[in-house]
Amino acid sequence: MTREEALDSVRANVENENSVKHMLATEAIMRALAERLGEDKEEWGLTGLLHDIDMELTEGDMSSHSRLGADLVREMGASEAMAHAILCHNQAHGIPLETKLDEALFCADPLTGLVTAAALVRPDKKLASVEAKSVRKRFKEKGFAAGANREQIATCSELGLELDEFLELGLKAMQGIAVDLGL
Ligand SMILES: [Fe+2]
């Protein structure tokens, strides 16, 4: 599966532009994590890009979300490791995270919302004007971007990353695709 094929499939299945941007942001963070950890950037990036491909197909039904997604990406030729990471990123199924790829997707997923919100409160609403220290500060404000699950983000420790390093890595990764994110 090429990245272009993956993105085409995402666009074919997800109409909401913010959802597509969330997947692009997750892809960028996953690639940066793979780079940092010496893992497969293509595999990790594609896992991030595809992880919510069933978001609209499952219409918010958390009991089917990510099960369908895992099936879809398998049909597209994704590796079993990718399908498993996508399957267990929705913890509603109670399937344990087993691999580094599983752990990476799980902690990267909610970070995109925190970083996006940190950009949107800047006067210019641009990622370029967000500093790592402000993401760290916002992380500690419980009411800020409350949907971005802090405990889940903090599971970056399972990958051997300090929280501060992970927040900065996520910010930089998203800044690198700011044009695509419209931020
Ligand atoms: Fe997601």
Side-chain angles (χ1 to χ4, degrees):
M1 185 202 319
T2 65
R3 192 215 176 231
E4 196 180 350
E5 287 165 351
L7 185 55
D8 284 349
S9 295
V10 166
R11 292 203 178 279
N13 287 287
V14 183
E15 280 185 12
N16 183 301
E17 195 52 33
N18 285 333
S19 299
V20 174
K21 286 175 181 170
H22 163 63
M23 286 184 258
L24 289 169
T26 309
E27 176 192 21
I29 297 174
M30 290 292 286
R31 288 187 73 92
L33 276 174
E35 168 97 54
R36 165 67 174 79
L37 298 168
E39 300 288 338
D40 185 331
K41 284 191 279 185
E42 280 307 307
E43 183 177 54
W44 284 38
L46 287 177
T47 305
L49 179 60
L50 291 164
H51 82 279
D52 278 335
I53 192 169
D54 68 358
M55 189 178 258
E56 291 176 8
L57 293 168
T58 54
E59 297 177 337
D61 173 10
M62 291 305 270
S63 67
S64 56
H65 169 53
S66 88
R67 282 193 188 281
L68 178 61
D71 289 343
L72 284 175
V73 302
R74 262 191 217 102
E75 281 166 25
M76 292 165 58
S79 66
E80 193 47 44
M82 292 169 67
H84 189 269
I86 289 170
L87 175 64
C88 65
H89 95 274
N90 173 12
Q91 281 287 283
H93 309 312
I95 298 169
L97 308 179
E98 288 169 359
T99 66
K100 279 190 191 173
L101 181 54
D102 296 347
E103 295 284 0
L105 180 61
F106 189 68
C107 65
D109 187 14
L111 180 55
T112 71
L114 179 69
V115 173
T116 298
L120 293 177
V121 295
R122 303 298 305 168
D124 61 3
K125 297 185 168 35
K126 295 289 183 199
L127 277 168
S129 50
V130 179
E131 292 180 63
K133 69 177 183 201
S134 85
V135 179
R136 289 200 279 273
K137 197 176 119 228
R138 295 298 189 182
F139 181 92
K140 292 178 193 137
E141 289 173 27
K142 287 209 174 97
F144 183 85
N149 186 316
R150 307 302 202 266
E151 284 176 22
Q152 190 171 335
I153 294 171
T155 63
C156 63
S157 59
E158 298 291 329
L159 295 168
L161 262 75
E162 297 283 348
L163 178 64
D164 285 356
E165 182 185 0
F166 181 48
L167 296 179
E168 184 163 4
L169 175 149
L171 171 63
K172 291 228 168 87
M174 287 177 61
Q175 284 173 334
I177 60 156
V179 174
D180 295 330
L181 300 177
L183 291 170

